[in-house]
Amino acid sequence: MATIIKFDEIEVLDRGGAVKTWPLITGETSGGTNDLATGISIYPVGSGAPLHSHNCDEQVLILEGEGFVEVHEADGVIREQLKKDDTAYVKRDVFHRYQNTGDVPMRILWIYPTGYVTRTFADTGKTVEHLTAEDAMGGR
């Protein structure tokens, strides 16, 4: 079964902290037939995601703007500046975060190689289902 998404028909999710997300392929949009999850998020100037991990690998492609990815691996912390067309790949259960450091909104495409995604917040250890109301970017 094919899933076709018209971008201007997507219900935009308010993720907190002025971060907005356009879900592309998710369980909801595909009728539960998806084997991956994708979407686009926009981080306003100065905003970012809290330190977190996922139950699966993650790829992020910077579509517009610039910022950094910070990855907390067993042998230390990697912090790398990213700009348009740069990508980051983070393995499951590895804590990481993205932050907009530019002067325009940072627009990212995120891809998870599974249909069911969770996020575990480093500061609380709480695990929530991806894109639910509990999965907030701001106010943490």
Side-chain angles (χ1 to χ4, degrees), residues 106-140:
M106 184 175 71
R107 185 175 189 213
I108 67 169
L109 168 68
W110 43 265
I111 303 167
Y112 302 106
T114 184
Y116 179 74
V117 182
T118 64
R119 182 186 313 268
T120 300
F121 294 102
D123 62 347
T124 64
K126 184 176 183 178
T127 299
V128 300
E129 187 174 344
H130 188 242
L131 300 182
T132 61
E134 293 179 299
D135 186 26
M137 296 291 112
R140 295 193 55 78

Side-chain angles (χ1 to χ4, degrees), residues 32-109:
T33 64
N34 59 310
D35 292 326
L36 59 81
T38 65
I40 293 174
S41 294
I42 295 182
Y43 293 86
V45 173
S47 70
L51 190 63
H52 65 279
S53 66
H54 298 287
N55 63 318
C56 59
D57 296 357
E58 173 188 63
Q59 179 185 357
V60 166
L61 172 69
I62 306 298
L63 299 172
E64 294 176 319
E66 62 184 81
F68 68 77
V69 61
E70 181 179 291
V71 182
H72 292 238
E73 295 186 329
D75 57 350
V77 176
I78 299 168
R79 185 172 165 153
E80 191 73 34
Q81 192 69 21
L82 302 172
K83 62 179 178 17
K84 184 180 182 309
D85 298 329
D86 290 343
T87 194
Y89 176 73
V90 179
K91 296 294 286 178
R92 68 177 290 146
D93 300 322
V94 173
F95 284 103
H96 61 283
R97 70 186 185 106
Y98 294 89
Q99 179 77 34
N100 181 346
T101 58
D103 56 4
V104 299
M106 184 175 71
R107 185 175 189 213
I108 67 169
L109 168 68

